[in-house]
């Protein structure tokens, strides 16, 4: 069996897909969505296709090594996102070739079902925002029985803010706790936009509502700054969606800088690398909560690793990225869990007509979502 062709599709704003077809007619899908650089990942996949066409798709580790190491310059988010999508597609083909879900080729299931959390933004503190937020919570609980949610402080944050700004977020956090009760977990994503001092101050204000974790309290480049936050906060800190490969996580592990890591299967290096990162995390008693804020192919690839990793805690599920018509059958969430995938490969069938639709919108991805502070300087978002 040989790789016969590689195609790419852009059916949704945050969903960019790679399709690998073999000369035996098998098809594998992967996801190469990268905020800020959609054209670059497209070009990278095109370049890698020159190497992959004519090769045996089942030599996944060999292709991973070739793509990562062969051209002198290693890593970077463009190459790693392209490699991640290709790796997912090759694992999809491998599962289909052997007639089993991909997780069966990764060691078999370590659990019976996969726990997921949903995004639940509470919006502004205006009465209208509260009413909408409560409605959305009830809908999510009714629809999937979710027992864990993630929200965030939203907006832009300067190096320090007045009490009113901090209190608005803190009040929201406690209100969320009041609404869901003590049986439900709530986490907050700071999006890497705080300073260590501000992150620590805010974490102390919300510690009474017992967060499940705070994610990316500070940007990802400085592991010591992250560890400083962890050392001063009495609940778990998480990071990892912007870290690439085992080498990207090495310092996090060695310094025990966080409690949980959040590698993204479409950036870290695909299914192959996500499992390796998780296996290293196990020796540090760190659990993985794979990040997934893009489309249903990346989400499905994450589930395959979630199934087999002992130190898996929970899977992120952005509901707006799912159930959008790309999969013929959407993943069903019941009691806050998804049953183990049953179909061969990554476990879904794509509606190819939907996949071939070109959304043609690059705006959000090219803009990177940043905006400016009131003094005209660039803010993180
Ligand atoms: Mg995040």
């Amino acid at each position: 069996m040989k790789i016969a062709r590689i195609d790419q599709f852009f059916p949704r704003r945050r969903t960019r897909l790679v399709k690998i077809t073999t000369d035996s007619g098998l098809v594998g899908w992967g996801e190469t969505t990268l905020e800020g650089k959609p054209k670059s990942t497209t070009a990278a996949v095109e370049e890698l296709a020159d190497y992959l066409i004519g090769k045996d798709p089942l030599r996944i580790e060999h292709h991973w090594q070739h793509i990562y190491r062969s051209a002198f310059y290693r890593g970077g988010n463009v190459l790693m996102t392209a490699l991640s999508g290709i790796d997912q597609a090759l694992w999809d083909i491998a599962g289909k070739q052997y007639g089993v879900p991909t997780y069966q080729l990764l060691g078999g299931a370590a659990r019976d079902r996969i726990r997921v959390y949903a995004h639940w933004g509470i919006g502004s503190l205006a009465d209208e925002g509260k009413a909408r937020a409560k409605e959305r919570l009830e809908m999510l609980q009714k629809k999937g029985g979710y027992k864990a949610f993630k929200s965030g402080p939203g907006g832009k944050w300067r190096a320090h803010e007045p009490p009113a700004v901090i209190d608005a977020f803190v009040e929201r956090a406690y209100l969320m706790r009041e609404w869901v009760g003590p049986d439900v977990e709530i986490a907050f994503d700071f999006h890497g936009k705080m300073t260590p001092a501000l992150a620590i101050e805010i974490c102390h204000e919300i510690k009474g509502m017992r967060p499940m974790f705070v994610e990316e309290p500070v940007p990802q480049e400085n592991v010591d700054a992250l560890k400083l936050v962890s050392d001063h906060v009495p609940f778990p800190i998480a990071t990892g969606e912007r870290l690439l490969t085992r080498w990207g996580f090495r310092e996090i592990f060695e310094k025990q800088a966080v409690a949980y890591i959040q590698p993204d299967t479409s950036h870290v290096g695909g299914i192959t690398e996500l499992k390796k990162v998780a296996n290293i995390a196990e020796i540090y008693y760190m659990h993985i909560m794979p990040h997934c804020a893009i489309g249903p192919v990346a989400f499905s690839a994450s589930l395959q690793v979630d199934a087999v990793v002992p130190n898996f805690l929970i899977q992120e599920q952005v509901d707006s990225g799912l159930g959008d018509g790309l999969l013929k059958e959407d993943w069903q969430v019941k009691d806050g869990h998804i049953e183990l995938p049953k179909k061969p490969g990554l476990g879904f069938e794509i509606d190819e007509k939907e996949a071939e639709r070109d959304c043609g919108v690059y705006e959000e991805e090219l803009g990177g979502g940043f905006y400016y502070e009131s003094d005209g300087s660039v803010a993180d978002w």
Side-chain angles (χ1 to χ4, degrees):
M1 184 167 60
K2 288 183 169 48
I3 293 171
R5 57 179 293 157
I6 297 181
D7 299 287
Q8 298 189 72
F9 303 98
F10 318 112
R12 303 286 186 272
R13 291 200 323 175
R14 292 170 70 91
T15 304
R16 291 165 195 279
L17 304 176
V18 55
K19 175 187 175 189
I20 299 183
T21 307
T22 70
D23 59 0
S24 64
L26 281 181
V27 166
W29 291 89
E31 186 157 344
T32 52
T33 312
L34 178 62
E35 288 160 79
K37 298 174 186 67
K39 293 177 182 171
S40 309
T41 55
T42 302
V45 170
E46 276 172 17
E47 282 169 346
L48 296 171
D50 294 340
Y51 157 75
L52 286 163
I53 303 281
K55 301 287 193 311
D56 176 356
L58 301 179
R59 295 185 65 183
I60 301 173
E61 179 68 40
H62 179 75
H63 299 320
W64 197 102
Q65 294 289 329
H66 176 96
I67 291 169
Y68 183 69
R69 292 166 53 193
S70 71
F72 191 67
Y73 290 101
R74 301 181 179 199
N77 55 18
V78 173
L79 177 67
M80 291 315 298
T81 302
L83 169 52
S84 294
I86 288 166
D87 179 88
Q88 293 165 15
L90 295 179
W91 277 111
D92 194 21
I93 288 170
K96 288 169 179 168
Q97 169 72 7
Y98 295 116
V100 294
T102 296
Y103 73 80
Q104 295 286 18
L105 304 175
L106 298 171
R111 54 186 43 79
D112 299 327
R113 54 185 191 154
I114 296 159
R115 192 173 173 227
V116 292
Y117 69 84
H119 282 211
W120 173 41
I122 193 170
S124 74
L125 278 177
D127 286 344
E128 189 190 27
K130 281 193 209 173
R132 275 206 307 271
K134 202 160 189 185
E135 211 175 280
R136 186 165 147 67
L137 168 70
E138 284 160 4
M139 188 270 289
L140 285 165
Q141 287 184 317
K142 197 171 155 194
K143 188 178 145 201
Y146 291 94
K147 290 285 193 319
F149 297 98
K150 191 167 82 184
S151 188
K156 57 191 175 185
W157 289 72
R158 293 174 299 193
H160 202 265
E161 294 289 353
V165 173
I166 296 173
D167 291 350
F169 167 60
V170 172
E171 188 187 327
R172 203 167 75 197
Y174 279 89
L175 189 62
M176 292 174 89
R177 168 57 71 212
E178 194 185 310
W179 283 352
V180 300
D183 296 326
V184 171
E185 296 189 275
I186 305 174
F188 297 101
D189 187 352
F190 284 13
H191 261 221
K193 57 190 171 186
M194 307 276 181
T195 59
L198 182 60
I200 291 167
E201 180 180 345
I202 295 175
C203 284
H204 275 271
E205 292 292 336
I206 62 171
K207 69 184 177 191
M209 59 78 65
R210 310 277 295 276
M212 182 183 191
F213 60 88
V214 157
E215 168 178 333
E216 286 197 322
V218 294
Q220 80 279 15
E221 299 101 327
N222 186 332
V223 177
D224 289 317
L226 194 60
K227 179 155 170 54
L228 179 72
V229 176
S230 281
D231 286 346
H232 287 84
V233 172
F235 55 77
I237 298 295
T239 198
E241 68 185 78
R242 289 184 266 191
L243 297 176
L244 313 171
T245 78
R246 284 156 286 166
W247 294 279
F249 279 91
R250 182 181 63 83
E251 197 181 354
I252 296 277
F253 293 143
E254 290 174 354
K255 290 182 172 164
Q256 303 256 37
V258 295
Y260 310 133
I261 56 164
Q262 304 168 292
D264 187 309
T265 186
S266 276
H267 305 307
V268 75
I271 288 173
T272 301
E273 194 69 359
L274 176 56
K275 183 170 185 296
K276 289 179 182 180
V277 168
N279 291 153
I280 300 172
E282 188 182 357
I283 66 174
Y284 294 92
Y285 309 118
M286 283 185 201
H287 278 58
I288 67 159
M289 309 185 294
H291 176 261
C292 189
I294 49 176
V297 172
F299 182 78
S300 305
S302 303
L303 292 178
Q304 301 297 327
V305 182
D306 301 340
V308 304
V309 168
N311 51 322
F312 162 79
L313 182 59
I314 198 162
Q315 172 64 49
E316 178 172 28
Q317 183 188 29
V318 179
D319 52 316
S320 59
L322 302 167
D324 60 1
L326 266 179
L327 304 190
K328 286 186 179 172
E329 225 178 290
D330 292 320
W331 297 105
Q332 298 297 311
V333 183
K334 207 178 147 196
D335 191 25
H337 291 74
I338 291 175
E339 293 298 319
L340 285 179
K342 291 185 177 62
K343 291 181 182 147
L346 298 187
F348 56 77
E349 271 180 77
I350 272 203
D351 183 330
E352 295 223 16
K353 275 211 168 63
E354 280 294 317
E356 283 168 13
R357 272 177 40 177
D358 191 340
C359 81
V361 179
Y362 289 89
E363 215 174 307
E364 181 194 80
E365 290 165 322
L366 284 177
F370 75 84
Y371 50 104
Y372 298 103
E373 297 285 6
S374 53
D375 65 358
S377 59
V378 175
D380 285 310
W381 184 73

